[in-house]
Amino acid sequence: MENLFSNTARLYDFDYQDSIKADIPFYIGYAKAQGGAVLELGCGTGRVSLPLAAAGFHVTGLDLSQPMLEVFREKLAVMPRLAGDITLIHGNMADFSLGRKFPLIIIPFRAFQTLTDVCDITGALSCVRSHLEDEGIFIVDVFNPYPNMDESWYCGETVFWEKTDEKTGARVIKKHLSEKIDTISQILYPRLVFEVTYPDGKSERLEDDLKLKYYYSGQLRSVIEKAGLEITQEYSWYDKAPPGGREIIFICKKLCS
């Protein structure tokens, strides 16, 4: 199972439009410090890539989900001035070769956790290292799990929010269903559910089953260091708050030979 958001890609931006904004200036700040082009792995609908391009950086965005990339391309179609600053690639972050190096590589907002197979995880980090300039920076962000993840994570179908999409007039209810957890391999199997009612009264239910690996800080640190990368900073939010909060954000560079 892959996290392709096959049925819910068009609701991704609506879902996160209010909750995740703080990482945009965070990544733009690092892009300015590094200079040059940016490679975003797991670029999705362009939530991060588009603001980076608008700030003057050429962005190469790679994603495995065609539905997410279709949304990205639709946005570019109405932003022609940015089209020349963005290169989109349908590909797998676990195995890619672009024939060039970048001063900044990012995997924002938990996209790295969609890799659950050990070979894919090590493959992705190997690709990152081979595409990173010698003085380049790699940034990866995962959520910080509860101290003891177990079956208490299970929950029935639970409403997260209900709101109206001002663009379409549709009433949208987001629900979440958690029926399975693998505490040995540390993999969660949530189901993402949206119930949409349109102004004409028609309704539909859109679902995607996801698969996400969770890490504790020391575990992710070990995986990254084994890949030949050195962690220079760790934060828990995009304001550079110290470790221990909502996220685990690592700032990395190539480990000296």
Side-chain angles (χ1 to χ4, degrees):
M1 182 179 68
E2 295 170 326
N3 296 263
L4 299 178
F5 295 91
S6 299
N7 303 306
T8 62
R10 294 185 179 278
L11 287 166
Y12 183 87
D13 291 325
F14 182 65
D15 186 5
Y16 288 107
Q17 63 182 345
D18 296 323
S19 59
I20 299 296
K21 293 181 179 178
D23 61 346
I24 302 300
F26 176 83
Y27 289 116
I28 289 175
Y30 275 98
K32 289 180 177 178
Q34 290 301 108
V38 180
L39 171 60
E40 182 184 358
L41 303 176
C43 65
T45 64
R47 185 187 65 84
V48 176
S49 288
L50 286 167
L52 281 168
F57 301 96
H58 187 277
V59 181
T60 297
L62 181 147
D63 203 286
L64 187 60
S65 171
Q66 284 282 24
M68 296 287 265
L69 289 175
E70 286 172 8
V71 176
F72 197 155
R73 292 189 180 99
E74 288 173 5
K75 292 180 184 179
L76 278 180
V78 297
M79 300 179 183
R81 68 183 183 86
L82 298 182
D85 292 318
I86 294 179
T87 300
L88 292 183
I89 299 171
H90 177 235
N92 188 345
M93 76 170 82
D95 184 14
F96 63 93
S97 179
L98 306 181
R100 59 170 298 188
K101 296 180 184 290
F102 297 82
L104 179 62
I105 300 176
I106 61 175
I107 310 181
F109 195 55
R110 308 173 178 179
F112 185 71
Q113 293 177 260
T114 63
L115 302 174
T116 57
D117 181 85
V118 173
C119 291
D120 286 343
I121 294 165
T122 56
L125 292 173
S126 176
C127 287
V128 165
R129 192 180 191 285
S130 66
H131 286 77
L132 194 63
E133 290 184 356
D134 289 344
E135 300 302 319
I137 294 294
F138 165 54
I139 305 176
V140 61
D141 168 20
V142 302
F143 69 76
N144 192 13
Y146 300 127
N148 295 299
M149 296 287 282
D150 56 24
E151 285 77 8
S152 62
W153 179 78
Y154 293 166
C155 71
E157 196 164 286
T158 304
V159 174
F160 267 28
W161 50 252
E162 180 176 356
K163 53 190 177 183
T164 299
D165 185 344
E166 294 181 358
K167 293 180 180 179
T168 65
R171 191 65 180 169
V172 184
I173 301 174
K174 180 185 179 180
K175 296 183 176 182
H176 191 275
L177 180 63
S178 308
E179 295 182 315
K180 182 180 178 182
I181 180 173
D182 181 343
T183 58
I184 303 301
S185 299
Q186 295 185 192
I187 299 174
L188 305 174
Y189 297 84
R191 177 175 297 168
L192 184 61
V193 178
F194 292 97
E195 294 179 349
V196 186
T197 302
Y198 297 96
D200 62 3
K202 293 181 180 179
S203 62
E204 62 179 339
R205 179 183 170 98
L206 305 171
E207 301 183 19
D208 274 313
D209 288 315
L210 306 180
K211 184 178 180 182
L212 301 168
K213 184 171 180 63
Y214 61 92
Y215 297 87
Y216 296 99
S217 177
Q219 294 172 331
L220 183 56
R221 179 178 292 271
S222 177
V223 169
I224 289 172
E225 290 177 347
K226 286 179 180 177
L229 296 162
E230 178 183 3
I231 297 165
T232 60
Q233 298 288 340
E234 178 181 355
Y235 304 119
S236 65
W237 195 244
Y238 312 108
D239 58 359
K240 299 186 178 181
R246 175 177 171 182
E247 303 291 303
I248 300 171
I249 304 169
F250 283 145
I251 313 300
C252 315
K253 64 180 184 180
K254 283 187 178 180
L255 191 64
C256 296
S257 301

